[in-house]
Each structure stands twice: as C-alpha cells, then as structure tokens.
Amino acid sequence: MNYTIALIKGDGIGPEIVTSAVRVLEKVGQKFGHRFAFSEYLMGGCAIDACGTPLPEETVQGCLASDSVLLGAVGGPKWDKNPAALRPEKGLLGIRAALGLYTNLRPAKLYPALSAECPLRADIVEKGFDLMIVRELTGGIYFGERGRRDGKYGPEAYDTEAYSVMEIERIARVAFEAAKKRNGRLVSIDKANVLETSRLWRETMHRIAAEYPEVALSDMLVDNAAMQLVRCPSQFDVIVTSNMFGDILSDEASQITGSIGLLPSASLGDGTRGLYEPIHGSAPDIAGQDKANPIATILSAAMMLRYSFSLSAEADCIEGAVDRVLASGLRTADLIGAGKETPLGCTAMTDAILAAI
Ligand code: NAD
C-alpha cells in the first residue's frame, strides 16, 4: 500500500526525532511492502521565522491533503516573549482545529526494563501498569468564553467550561471502542459532585454505556483519580476525561513511567487522518546535540500505523523492537540513572531499533 505522510519537524529536537521516526517507517515499509511518501511542512517557531506566522496556510493544506501527520515538537525560548498570535503553540491549537481532531489518545505503560526509573514504591512498581488516557481535545474550559471584568472585589478574570451532549457522546464512543479492544474496563473521570458539565458528562457516559455491554464503566472523581494514579495505577485500563482533567492526569501518568522521552500520542477526529506526536516538548536544552530520545516519536509513528492505516502487525513490529532494545539494556541519557551505563545518542538509539526490526 502507498501512504502519504505530512511531516512537521518543528523546533528544538523536533528535526532529530522526526528523522528517526522516518527511518523507522521506511524500514517497516521495506519489510512489509508499503511505500510511505513524506512531505515536510513548517509550523511553530521555525514557521514564525520563515513565514511570519506559526501555522502557514500551506501547512494546513498539506496536512489536509495527506493520509496522516507526524509532528516533532514546537517552541523554544526564542519565541517565548512573542505576543499570543505569534506563539509557536498557536500553530498546535490551529492544526488540531483545522484537522477536526477532538480525541487525544495517550498510552502510558511501565516497561519492566525501566522499572528502576519509576518514582513509585517497589510494591506498586511490581504490579506494573499499562493504561490509555482518552482526553477530549477541542471542548471544555480551554475553549470556553473567558475575559476580565469588574467583580465584587475589584478586577477579576473568568474562564467558562461548556460541553455539549454531542461532544461528550463522540468522545465516549472513542473511549468505549478503545476499551473494547483492550481489557474492557473504562473509568470516566469527572467532578460531578461540583460541576454541572461533569454531571452531563456522567449522565451521557452511562447512556452510551448501554451500547457497549462488553465494557465495564465506572466513574471516579478527578481528585481521587489523581491519587489513584500514584497509589495503584495497575487498576486502570482505559480512562476517559475532559480536556483540562486529561491534560493534567496524562502528565501525571507520564511521570510514573519514568521518562517523558518514551510516550507517544495520537490526536484523532472522525476520519482516519490523525496527528501523531511525542508528548514531550522541543527540549531546547539538548537540541542539535544528538542527545534526544527518539522513542516517543518512533512509538507515535507506530500509533499512526495502527490507528490511521490499520496496520497492526507493522505497529506491533515497531513496539516489539523498542521493547527488545530497552530489555537489552540500551539507553539514551534521559533513561539512565546516575552514572550507570554509557548513553546512546538519538542516531545510535534509532540504529539499534532499526536493527531490532
Ligand atoms: P520539554 O518536554 O521540551 O523538556 C522537559 C525536559 O525533558 C527537558 O530537560 C528536556 O531536555 C527533557 N526531554 C524532553 N524530551 C526529551 C527527549 N525526547 N529526550 C530526552 N530528553 C527530553 O518541556 P519544556 O522544557 O517545558 O518546554 C520546552 C519547549 O517545548 C517550550 O517552548 C514549550 O512551549 C514547548 N512544548 C511543546 C510541546 C509540543 O510541541 N507539543 C509540548 C510541550 C512543550
């Protein structure tokens, strides 16, 4: 099969890690008989420098014309003081909106070979965990009405959260489908003891649950969920939650895996096209030094094969290669505890994964 992939390398370590993922995709293409055609587009700080905007129209059109999109990361100190319209993150929000991506899938699992890097207690680590967070991406408080006004005690600011039944129903179906393909357990996280949006969220989740008798749905309040993630992460299979709760809980989940350099993500909409990216940022402190861990981006490419192209065997092949490389003891600098092994650079780690494929 032939697939077209838009590449947005972005800023900082973005070009290095996307190049690694492209090498892996090419290798898997050779092995399984697929052809991936790549086109590069600018977004973020590099686009501000070259085109005066974080998201050039050519990038939007290029992504819309591609079967899927692979993104490195955007941002860096050079653009930190820019006005809001000229911030690299503006490109990120813009491309998600332009592609209609309302679901963010963030898996977090503990690799047995990396259990020493997990900050949790040994008896918790022993049980391991492998969970998937399904976060609503285009609604809620990040997109609600906001502003400044004169309040009872003087000047004040406000943000509002709104969720429609339609927005909750569509993210619910994504989450139930994900749970069906995994271990059939779904926890919906909300703050229904306080928030009206959460009460509608909970009501809607339970109505949609009737369509999925094979999935066991339970509810959890977000404050409890934040505790349970560090107390007993093995209890979770799939988690579904709103934009802001998902933002916070998925970062918490990433920390208990031991490294930010390992975790991929997928943003999906109604069609098969998705945007795949590592969860970490552009790591300007190590950019251009061949020190970045490419695994999160390589695993994001594997998610692309699985979710956008339905190439499960090919995705398994990449994930298996990463498992074996980590089990063999090879590490990039971010995965090494104080002075243990000599770290591999980004290129050498990619070479090792290619060899394992
Ligand atoms: P960051 O994730 O870039 O870096 C945090 C720390 O983790 C740094 O020490 C970095 O060196 C390390 N790190 C991150 N990825 C790594 C990798 N693959 N291998 C090895 N080490 C890695 O977060 P930050 O420092 O808060 O942000 C830096 C820039 O990235 C900012 O401009 C921020 O706005 C941007 N950012 C972009 C995205 C995105 O593009 N989706 C996400 C988060 C942050």
Side-chain angles (χ1 to χ4, degrees):
M1 290 286 286
N2 293 337
Y3 301 93
T4 55
I5 299 174
L7 299 178
I8 301 178
K9 291 184 171 175
D11 308 312
I13 60 171
E16 301 163 57
I17 54 180
V18 171
T19 300
S20 293
V22 166
R23 291 178 65 204
V24 167
L25 284 170
E26 280 173 339
K27 176 87 180 185
V28 168
Q30 277 164 20
K31 188 175 160 106
F32 288 86
H34 306 297
R35 213 179 84 72
F36 300 111
F38 301 100
S39 310
E40 283 189 38
Y41 298 97
L42 295 177
M43 193 177 92
C46 56
I48 294 170
D49 290 351
C51 317
T53 166
L55 182 60
E57 186 54 27
E58 192 196 342
T59 300
V60 174
Q61 293 309 324
C63 292
L64 285 170
S66 301
D67 294 325
S68 212
V69 184
L70 184 65
L71 168 68
V74 297
K78 182 175 177 192
W79 306 281
D80 273 355
K81 295 202 167 67
N82 281 13
L86 286 180
R87 297 284 301 240
E89 304 79 28
K90 185 97 183 153
L92 216 47
L93 296 178
I95 195 72
R96 284 176 188 159
L99 299 178
L101 307 173
Y102 57 82
T103 300
N104 189 216
L105 297 183
R106 281 179 54 163
K109 75 169 186 174
L110 185 65
Y111 287 88
L114 293 175
S115 55
E117 309 309 320
C118 176
L120 302 180
R121 233 175 35 219
D123 60 311
I124 304 173
V125 170
E126 211 170 88
K127 292 195 193 120
F129 60 88
D130 181 349
L131 57 92
M132 168 80 83
I133 296 185
V134 179
R135 168 189 169 197
E136 200 289 327
L137 202 57
T138 52
I141 196 163
Y142 292 176
F143 290 87
E145 194 193 323
R146 76 198 55 197
R148 302 278 176 111
R149 63 189 170 198
D150 285 328
K152 199 169 158 195
Y153 304 106
E156 64 178 23
Y158 64 97
D159 299 274
T160 51
E161 165 146 308
Y163 265 116
S164 65
V165 170
M166 181 280 287
E167 287 172 305
I168 305 170
E169 281 179 349
R170 67 183 183 182
I171 196 74
R173 290 202 169 88
V174 174
F176 278 103
E177 288 294 334
K180 220 165 90 174
K181 291 191 191 118
R182 289 173 49 107
N183 295 319
R185 286 179 291 119
L186 177 62
V187 179
S188 169
I189 291 172
D190 61 38
K191 187 72 182 166
N193 53 342
V194 179
L195 302 176
E196 197 54 34
T197 41
S198 281
R199 286 192 271 271
L200 180 66
W201 180 278
R202 194 175 277 210
E203 223 175 275
T204 309
M205 284 291 158
H206 282 268
R207 184 163 43 73
I208 299 297
E211 298 170 22
Y212 296 90
E214 61 278 67
V215 176
L217 171 70
S218 56
D219 307 296
M220 193 179 278
L221 294 174
V222 63
D223 35 0
N224 185 24
M227 293 193 291
Q228 295 301 330
L229 264 177
V230 289
R231 198 189 69 82
C232 182
S234 61
Q235 71 186 283
F236 294 107
D237 177 19
V238 178
I239 286 172
V240 61
T241 192
S242 64
N243 202 343
M244 182 167 69
F245 295 161
D247 190 6
I248 298 165
L249 293 176
S250 58
D251 270 17
E252 186 186 0
S254 76
Q255 273 313 299
I256 57 172
T257 65
S259 171
I260 198 170
L262 289 177
L263 298 177
S265 78
S267 301
L268 304 169
D270 282 330
T272 55
R273 187 191 306 106
L275 176 79
Y276 297 84
E277 59 180 313
I279 68 149
H280 58 73
S282 60
D285 51 332
I286 55 166
Q289 300 169 40
D290 195 33
K291 284 186 182 163
N293 184 348
I295 292 179
T297 317
I298 289 170
L299 292 176
S300 301
M303 286 188 89
M304 175 188 288
L305 299 183
R306 190 182 302 285
Y307 291 99
S308 282
F309 304 156
S310 295
L311 299 176
S312 304
E314 292 80 343
D316 287 346
C317 171
I318 297 177
E319 289 163 0
V322 169
D323 280 351
R324 288 193 296 283
V325 165
L326 291 174
S328 75
L330 297 176
R331 303 280 186 270
T332 42
D334 57 304
L335 300 178
I336 288 191
K340 280 193 228 144
E341 307 92 352
T342 314
L344 295 186
C346 184
T347 311
M349 177 52 96
T350 309
D351 291 342
I353 293 168
L354 290 174
I357 289 172

